[in-house]
Amino acid sequence: MTNNKVQTYNVLALAVAIGLLFHGASFFSTLENTYDIFVHIFFADHYRDSWFDPWEPSWYTGFSLISYPPLTHQLFALLSFIGGLKFGAFLLAFAIVVLYVTGSYRFAKLITANDEAAAYAALIAVFLPSVVEAFHVFGQIPMMMGISWLLHALPEIYLFVRYGKFRYFFNGMSLIAVAVCSHHVTPIFGMVFFVVPLMGTAVMDGARHEAGSYEKVGIALFIKYVKKYLPRIIFFGFMTIIVAMVVILPYWIWSKSDPITQVPIPHGSRDNFIEVFSSGLVFFIIPWGFLLLIWPYCFYRYFSKRNIFLGLSFAMLTLLGTGGTTPIPKMLLGENAFNILTLERFTFWATIYAMPLGGEFLWRFTKGDLYQRIMARRSKAVYSFYLSIMVICIFFSAGFTMNLSFFRPLQPESINLKPIQNFLQSDKHYKWRYLTLGFGDQMAWLSANTDAMTIDGNYHSARRVPELTTRAIERLENSKYRGVEGIATLQQFLSSPETFHLKYIFSNDKFYDPLLYFSGWLRVKSLSNGITVWERSDVSALPSVLPKKDIPRFQKIMWGIVPICTLLIAFFFNVQLHWIHHVSGSNKLIDDYRNQETLDKKISPLFYFVIKYWILLILLLALGLIAKIYLMNAKQLGPERVVQSYYDALDFKRFEEAHSFIDPADSLTLDRFLLETSVTDGIVDSYGKINTIETEILTSTADYAKIETQLEWITPLESYHKTQLHEVIKKGGKWYIKANEFNNYIPANQFSDIPEVNFLNQGRRKITTKETFHEDVLDRPVLRILQANLVKKGSSYHVVGMIQNVDSYPADLTVKAALIDENQIVLTSYYDKYHLTHKLLPKEITSFRIDFEAVAWNQLKLDSLATLPTPETFKLEVLATVMTQDLYKSISIQDLKIEQDQISGRLYNHGHLTSTITELVYAFFDQHQQIQWVTTSLAEKSVFPMKYADFQSQTMNLDSLQLISPKSLPILQVNGLENENIINKYASQHPAPLLHLTPYPGYDSKFLMINLNNFVGSPGPF
């Protein structure tokens, strides 16, 4: 073995060692915080338990794992028997690093025809930013496994096309089969962007062999070799299609019989990177990283005569990776594919293309013609300076990418899942579905550690729940990040839990608390890990037999056996046979694609000039980018900037930072600022997230400005627009905000004693592990429907009415209405949302309104409610259970003013808890005291004990409102009993209540009733 060979293998071994050290050591701190790793672990957990049954019932309403190639997950599962699921993931990730680095070496040797340059490329591959991002940010282990196998397959494919030896065919085909079973998208697109261009390179090399040089290869000679190699190309292409179809045949059958039909989910890789800088940074600049320095070199080398087909593919991948920055990617892919694919994969493949030339450039720079040119014209110090900049760029790019989550957290803090597992196991809570909020991808880890089912999931390609597939939302768990559409989608599930057997919600984000409360959910427990458990009563358990979409047995057997077999076959052809030939001394398997012409080609002086100034330009742009980021974070450089920074800090609860923007001359200490902030409560202050900030300078001088700020706040219930005026001054080169005057009202009574009535549901009277006895369950509270009317507002129908709790127990209400046609067929149905008070004290009355929304469980199509036929009648069902929590009623209305355009007044809290959000439920009545309409508004500020809070809301325009008289009597049921029978039974004990109505100066509405629904954000122990 020559010295060059020894040196090459030493560099390759060093690359493998550094790869294991760099990536392997980092896996322990980054892998669990990536986007996808827990999803793949969840899939692995399925194969660990049910190797031959691909149906997974835990997510959505069940889905088939046939929808994702299984090999990576099956290997996870097999390795997990040694040390658990996470151990299996880590161990396989280590193996993929070795596979990837060695594959990069082989691919680079094919492209560069230079062993030493290929070894340097293996070193470059370790620090490739796109790979670092794939491993340590996205957790795309299957994709990395697929590309690693493909890199090993490409040299074999080249050699088969070039020489026609079937040993190369079997080597390459076996590797392609493993790649397909690992990540089907990679080899499918790899055929287009890697294999086909590589076949063109093989044809070009064959023609060069006859001509003597690439310069002498003409069109006629090239066509001659195309004809010569065409049978091999067609044969390999045909066999690749056959193998790809066979090894994952169940997947292709599934995709044909159950195609993906859902609304495209927005993805940052499709953004215009100029308009959305953050998307361009994450999906373009960071993946390219230091490779941007050698962009011209990549195009220069790939658009040489030998590599022209590879160059066209490289240029196409680079262009497609620009997302929506230009219209070209959408034109090339088509609108449907553009909206389905995540385009960062094209940038990833383009960087794989650039990696061999990165190694070649580094080789030229350290011992090739670039080194000789620099040393001949410059000093060694200049060369060392250039080398230092290159090394710094490589390490900085890789290190910054790996630590991206430090600058922008990708996941919530780690959650101890054991208390949740115990809760689901106790009292057979796993018999109902659950939902997580604010868990991030840890929801998949929870699913892997429990048998309970969730209506949510983290694999949107396989979901078939219409309420999800018809919305551009990835999952319910993080619905708040999709704004109004996300909250509305979550609201459908919260309002109709019975449809999905959804009984429990585990919340790790208090943002959702008001939405849960006003949707009728009850806080039942705070677990030791800080997770709040919410429950909805009157939800039936899952049936013992769930719907399942089964597949033929032969497909199950194929899915469980074929992928592992492809791995064993690939090992035999690519490792075992190599070892046998090595032991026997045979040299039959040699990578024979090197040529001296490629090795001897030097960089032209003109291109040397171009690359030198291109690198200088990129470095200047990098400095400009750093300067831009600095200016974006320099928060007191201008009057508008300091106001925007102030609200940004308040929005993300960085109170110390917000305080630093206050003028020091105002003597507002940090403690005082924190105190004032803590007592400023309400739906906006406590649960609002700023959606937009717009500032305008009203007046300004050199060191003074008056700023008008328009703020749009998104809350879990509705959006708010607020206008704030701020005075800002300039001191010492920085701008500061003048502190606003704080309302320091303190109640006259320093101490108050408040008598109250509390309730306790003792629950079980027997300590036993058996199921709850019937005698331990309290009877349902007695309720009656006082009024129920069908109304039409515009083109939509609604049911409005009033319900009274006539029992001596507090009641928790669930209300459902259905519209029925003349054939007694249900046209549509829906549950109550937040247009009522769900928790009623004894004898308390609430008004309600039910809207009919387009949802999947209706008989009508999703978009057909606008043309709903006139209903014959309607059905109203009211269910109630005894409850003892969230019964704070110590808020009263004072100084009520009803004017033509608004209703206003003051809320007074005569209790001992703070009503964080007070909902006012307005019921409008006609002259006959028949209810016409119900609407709600929210008090913007909290109502503290013994304090007042103002409220105001706009009056309703009820001109388009019609009271519909059903052609047949409506069906009114309470707890399964007829409402009329309940009224007759309790008429003597509980006569019809006297309604306390307020005169209302409306044209059609003459009376008004206001109910209060109080949400206590911090109720104390429960």
Side-chain angles (χ1 to χ4, degrees):
M1 185 179 291
T2 64
N3 289 333
N4 285 342
K5 276 287 186 182
V6 172
Q7 186 176 2
T8 296
Y9 289 144
N10 287 340
V11 175
L12 177 59
L14 179 65
V16 172
I18 293 176
L20 287 173
L21 185 64
F22 178 72
H23 290 287
S26 302
F27 281 143
F28 294 105
S29 60
T30 62
L31 201 57
E32 291 187 42
N33 295 319
T34 60
Y35 280 111
D36 292 338
I37 188 61
F38 282 130
V39 178
H40 299 305
I41 289 178
F42 169 68
F43 288 176
D45 177 67
H46 170 89
Y47 288 111
R48 177 186 169 111
D49 296 333
S50 305
W51 189 274
F52 289 99
D53 185 3
W55 184 257
E56 175 53 66
S58 295
W59 285 359
Y60 311 120
T61 52
F63 70 99
S64 177
L65 261 66
I66 295 291
S67 56
Y68 201 107
L71 182 57
T72 308
H73 307 133
Q74 289 175 345
L75 292 176
F76 274 8
L78 291 174
L79 294 173
S80 71
F81 288 106
I82 302 174
L85 288 168
K86 288 184 179 180
F87 174 84
F90 285 124
L91 192 59
L92 186 59
F94 273 79
I96 292 173
V97 169
V98 176
L99 193 69
Y100 161 70
V101 174
T102 53
S104 298
Y105 168 76
R106 297 191 65 196
F107 177 60
K109 190 161 64 168
L110 172 64
I111 299 300
T112 64
N114 185 328
D115 289 349
E116 289 185 88
Y120 280 94
L123 277 173
I124 292 291
V126 172
F127 302 103
L128 206 64
S130 60
V131 170
V132 174
E133 191 174 44
F135 268 134
H136 302 281
V137 177
F138 299 137
Q140 294 172 339
I141 302 299
M143 186 186 76
M144 286 305 305
M145 187 170 176
I147 194 65
S148 300
W149 289 115
L150 181 63
L151 291 176
H152 279 279
L154 292 174
E156 307 294 340
I157 297 171
Y158 171 91
L159 292 171
F160 171 72
V161 173
R162 181 79 188 278
Y163 300 106
K165 303 287 186 177
F166 272 92
R167 59 175 177 265
Y168 299 126
F169 168 79
F170 288 117
N171 289 347
M173 193 57 64
S174 63
L175 292 169
I176 287 291
V178 180
V180 171
C181 292
S182 301
H183 192 252
H184 62 297
V185 174
T186 297
I188 289 173
F189 280 94
M191 287 296 296
V192 177
F193 292 108
F194 285 89
V195 176
V196 173
L198 189 63
M199 290 176 172
T201 300
V203 173
M204 187 68 73
D205 284 352
R208 184 212 64 87
H209 186 72
E210 178 177 326
S213 71
Y214 293 109
E215 299 280 337
K216 298 178 181 179
V217 176
I219 295 178
L221 183 60
F222 180 78
I223 293 176
K224 172 186 174 182
Y225 273 84
V226 168
K227 293 179 180 179
K228 178 181 178 181
Y229 292 160
L230 190 59
R232 301 173 193 170
I233 293 173
I234 294 175
F235 174 71
F236 189 89
F238 177 75
M239 290 306 299
T240 299
I241 294 174
I242 296 298
V243 168
M245 291 291 292
V246 170
V247 295
I248 54 170
L249 179 62
Y251 168 81
W252 302 114
I253 296 174
W254 168 84
S255 61
K256 181 68 176 177
S257 62
D258 191 12
I260 300 173
T261 54
Q262 58 179 307
V263 174
I265 298 174
H267 193 270
S269 64
R270 306 186 200 109
D271 290 339
N272 184 323
F273 294 160
I274 297 175
E275 296 177 354
V276 186
F277 174 72
S278 59
S279 294
L281 183 66
V282 173
F283 297 112
F284 194 83
I285 295 177
I286 288 178
W288 276 106
F290 64 84
L291 292 175
L292 289 173
L293 294 171
I294 61 167
W295 246 17
Y297 182 77
C298 294
F299 284 99
Y300 169 76
R301 285 287 284 113
Y302 273 128
F303 278 90
S304 63
K305 201 165 190 177
R306 177 185 188 252
N307 298 323
I308 183 65
F309 300 105
L310 297 171
L312 291 172
S313 181
F314 173 69
M316 184 68 70
L317 288 170
T318 303
L319 182 61
L320 291 174
T322 59
T325 309
T326 69
I328 299 176
K330 182 179 285 189
M331 293 169 56
L332 293 174
L333 295 171
E335 187 169 358
N336 188 45
F338 180 84
N339 290 327
I340 293 175
L341 295 172
T342 55
L343 304 187
E344 88 283 354
R345 71 183 68 229
F346 296 108
T347 297
F348 174 80
W349 292 327
T351 61
I352 295 296
Y353 255 106
M355 172 264 298
L357 300 185
E360 184 181 84
F361 186 85
L362 185 60
W363 173 78
R364 289 180 183 271
F365 192 82
T366 54
K367 57 174 61 178
D369 54 326
L370 281 179
Y371 172 78
Q372 295 168 4
R373 183 184 293 270
I374 294 172
M375 293 301 293
R377 299 187 179 187
R378 303 283 191 273
S379 66
K380 191 171 182 178
V382 173
Y383 170 78
S384 299
F385 173 73
Y386 288 159
L387 183 62
S388 299
I389 288 191
M390 183 176 293
V391 172
I392 289 172
C393 288
I394 291 173
F395 280 99
F396 175 80
S397 182
F400 176 79
T401 305
M402 181 172 289
N403 292 282
L404 192 62
S405 61
F406 175 80
F407 303 100
R408 183 180 179 181
L410 307 175
Q411 300 290 340
E413 293 185 5
S414 179
I415 301 171
N416 177 17
L417 300 181
K418 194 63 179 177
I420 304 176
Q421 294 173 246
N422 293 338
F423 177 86
L424 289 171
Q425 193 63 33
S426 64
D427 290 333
K428 298 187 178 180
H429 292 154
Y430 55 81
K431 288 189 173 183
W432 289 266
R433 285 195 176 100
Y434 69 90
L435 177 66
T436 57
L437 296 174
F439 275 54
D441 287 310
Q442 293 177 80
M443 62 162 294
W445 181 234
L446 174 61
S447 296
N449 284 275
T450 179
D451 294 330
M453 303 176 192
T454 175
I455 192 59
D456 202 5
N458 200 13
Y459 181 42
H460 57 269
S461 296
R463 64 188 185 182
R464 295 298 182 265
V465 181
E467 290 75 22
L468 292 174
T469 57
T470 56
R471 304 290 186 269
I473 175 174
E474 185 176 12
R475 58 182 187 259
L476 298 173
E477 178 275 330
N478 62 353
S479 56
K480 74 176 184 181
Y481 296 108
R482 289 295 302 142
V484 174
E485 184 178 20
I487 295 297
T489 304
L490 176 61
Q491 178 71 66
Q492 283 195 341
F493 289 86
L494 300 181
S495 300
S496 51
E498 174 63 30
T499 306
F500 310 100
H501 305 281
L502 174 62
K503 189 174 181 66
Y504 300 105
I505 290 178
F506 302 101
S507 177
N508 189 41
D509 190 342
K510 290 189 177 298
F511 174 87
Y512 298 101
D513 287 2
L515 181 62
L516 293 168
Y517 174 83
F518 288 111
S519 297
W521 288 76
L522 179 68
R523 286 171 289 200
V524 295
K525 196 172 187 180
S526 181
L527 302 178
S528 59
N529 56 0
I531 302 299
T532 303
V533 182
W534 293 75
E535 181 185 17
R536 188 68 185 263
S537 57
D538 267 327
V539 176
S540 60
L542 287 162
S544 56
V545 179
L546 294 171
K548 177 180 179 180
K549 191 169 185 178
D550 211 348
I551 61 174
R553 180 174 296 180
F554 83 93
Q555 292 186 32
K556 295 180 180 180
I557 295 174
M558 286 187 66
W559 200 250
I561 293 178
V562 172
I564 296 296
C565 289
T566 63
L567 185 63
L568 297 176
I569 293 171
F571 178 84
F572 172 77
F573 280 111
N574 292 274
V575 178
Q576 184 72 9
L577 287 183
H578 279 267
W579 181 80
I580 292 173
H581 286 297
H582 177 74
V583 172
S584 64
S586 171
N587 292 322
K588 290 183 178 180
L589 298 177
I590 299 176
D591 292 341
D592 187 13
Y593 38 71
R594 295 177 292 279
N595 61 78
Q596 194 62 35
E597 184 178 354
T598 303
L599 293 173
D600 293 340
K601 189 170 183 179
K602 309 294 183 184
I603 292 179
S604 66
L606 176 62
F607 187 75
Y608 175 78
F609 175 83
V610 171
I611 191 68
K612 180 171 64 173
Y613 284 99
W614 170 264
I615 292 175
L616 179 61
L617 175 63
I618 291 297
L619 291 176
L620 290 175
L621 289 175
L623 291 175
L625 180 62
I626 294 172
K628 180 179 179 179
I629 294 174
Y630 169 77
L631 291 176
M632 289 174 61
N633 289 278
K635 302 176 180 180
Q636 293 177 267
L637 285 183
E640 292 182 280
R641 181 64 185 144
V642 71
V643 173
Q644 293 170 355
S645 301
Y646 173 75
Y647 281 106
D648 183 69
L650 288 179
D651 189 33
F652 288 94
K653 313 301 181 186
R654 300 192 299 262
F655 297 119
E656 291 189 27
E657 180 182 335
H659 175 261
S660 68
F661 302 137
I662 303 295
D663 182 11
D666 291 339
S667 301
L668 181 63
T669 64
L670 177 61
D671 290 340
R672 180 68 183 178
F673 177 78
L674 294 174
L675 176 63
E676 292 181 2
T677 304
S678 66
V679 298
T680 304
D681 213 345
I683 184 169
V684 173
D685 295 313
S686 297
Y687 301 98
K689 295 291 294 181
I690 295 177
N691 189 35
T692 59
I693 305 176
E694 295 181 3
T695 56
E696 180 183 356
I697 299 178
L698 301 180
T699 59
S700 66
T701 62
D703 55 3
Y704 171 84
K706 190 172 185 179
I707 308 290
E708 181 182 80
T709 307
Q710 301 287 341
L711 299 162
E712 182 188 7
W713 295 82
I714 299 294
T715 75
L717 299 175
E718 58 186 46
S719 60
Y720 287 84
H721 294 267
K722 298 178 67 176
T723 300
Q724 297 284 354
L725 293 177
H726 290 285
E727 292 181 325
V728 295
I729 60 172
K730 187 177 183 180
K731 290 182 178 181
K734 293 183 177 181
W735 287 86
Y736 294 91
I737 299 175
K738 299 293 292 182
N740 292 328
E741 185 177 351
F742 179 69
N743 182 5
N744 198 25
Y745 167 75
I746 300 175
N749 296 331
Q750 187 175 1
F751 181 83
S752 301
D753 56 333
I754 303 168
E756 62 179 5
V757 177
N758 286 322
F759 300 89
L760 175 65
N761 184 357
Q762 192 71 17
R764 290 183 172 184
R765 291 194 295 269
K766 298 179 181 179
I767 300 177
T768 177
T769 58
K770 297 180 181 179
E771 292 189 35
T772 303
F773 288 95
H774 178 73
E775 60 266 23
D776 285 335
V777 179
L778 292 173
D779 293 335
R780 291 181 178 272
V782 179
L783 287 83
R784 61 183 173 188
I785 302 171
L786 300 178
Q787 291 187 30
N789 295 322
L790 178 63
V791 299
K792 186 176 184 181
K793 192 173 190 296
S795 61
S796 59
Y797 290 93
H798 312 263
V799 173
V800 297
M802 291 188 297
I803 301 170
Q804 183 185 24
N805 177 14
V806 297
D807 212 313
S808 56
Y809 292 154
D812 183 21
L813 273 62
T814 300
V815 185
K816 178 184 178 182
L819 300 182
I820 302 173
D821 68 5
E822 57 187 6
N823 297 319
Q824 299 302 303
I825 297 175
V826 175
L827 296 172
T828 182
S829 63
Y830 208 76
Y831 291 82
D832 58 87
K833 289 175 68 174
Y834 42 77
H835 295 99
L836 80 161
T837 302
H838 287 90
K839 285 79 176 174
L840 294 183
L841 288 174
K843 311 304 182 288
E844 187 178 5
I845 298 173
T846 182
S847 54
F848 68 87
R849 185 184 98 209
I850 295 180
D851 306 322
F852 297 99
E853 300 184 10
V855 288
W857 64 81
N858 291 331
Q859 298 297 323
L860 299 170
K861 295 181 180 179
L862 288 172
D863 58 351
S864 61
L865 286 188
T867 58
L868 186 71
T870 303
E872 176 82 10
T873 185
F874 67 93
K875 180 179 181 180
L876 186 66
E877 299 175 81
V878 180
L879 297 175
T881 58
V882 175
M883 51 85 61
T884 61
Q885 295 171 225
D886 290 330
L887 293 171
Y888 192 69
K889 304 289 183 177
S890 300
I891 308 294
S892 59
I893 299 176
Q894 298 184 5
D895 302 330
L896 179 64
K897 295 180 181 179
I898 302 176
E899 301 171 343
Q900 290 295 331
D901 58 343
Q902 72 174 16
I903 302 173
S904 60
R906 295 201 300 172
L907 300 172
Y908 178 66
N909 186 350
H910 53 83
H912 68 289
L913 297 176
T914 298
S915 178
T916 310
I917 303 173
T918 300
E919 179 189 42
L920 296 97
V921 183
Y922 300 97
F924 298 89
F925 298 80
D926 62 12
Q927 66 271 22
H928 304 295
Q929 295 191 5
Q930 282 295 310
I931 191 167
Q932 295 176 299
W933 189 247
V934 177
T935 188
T936 63
S937 71
L938 301 172
E940 188 175 324
K941 296 296 182 181
S942 297
V943 190
F944 293 93
M946 304 300 164
K947 290 188 178 183
Y948 294 91
D950 296 329
F951 74 89
Q952 65 177 21
S953 60
Q954 300 298 316
T955 55
M956 286 294 301
N957 182 2
L958 303 179
D959 293 343
S960 61
L961 192 70
Q962 302 177 43
L963 189 63
I964 306 297
S965 298
K967 296 179 181 179
S968 59
L969 291 176
I971 304 170
L972 307 180
Q973 295 181 344
V974 178
N975 294 326
L977 304 176
E978 294 297 325
N979 182 63
E980 185 177 357
N981 295 338
I982 295 176
I983 292 176
N984 294 333
K985 181 177 179 179
Y986 294 95
S988 59
Q989 304 176 25
H990 304 285
L994 180 64
L995 300 178
H996 300 284
L997 304 180
T998 302
Y1000 181 75
Y1003 178 76
D1004 293 321
S1005 301
K1006 299 302 181 182
F1007 299 99
L1008 173 69
M1009 182 176 74
I1010 304 177
N1011 294 111
L1012 299 180
N1013 194 3
N1014 307 307
F1015 168 64
V1016 179
S1018 301
F1022 55 88

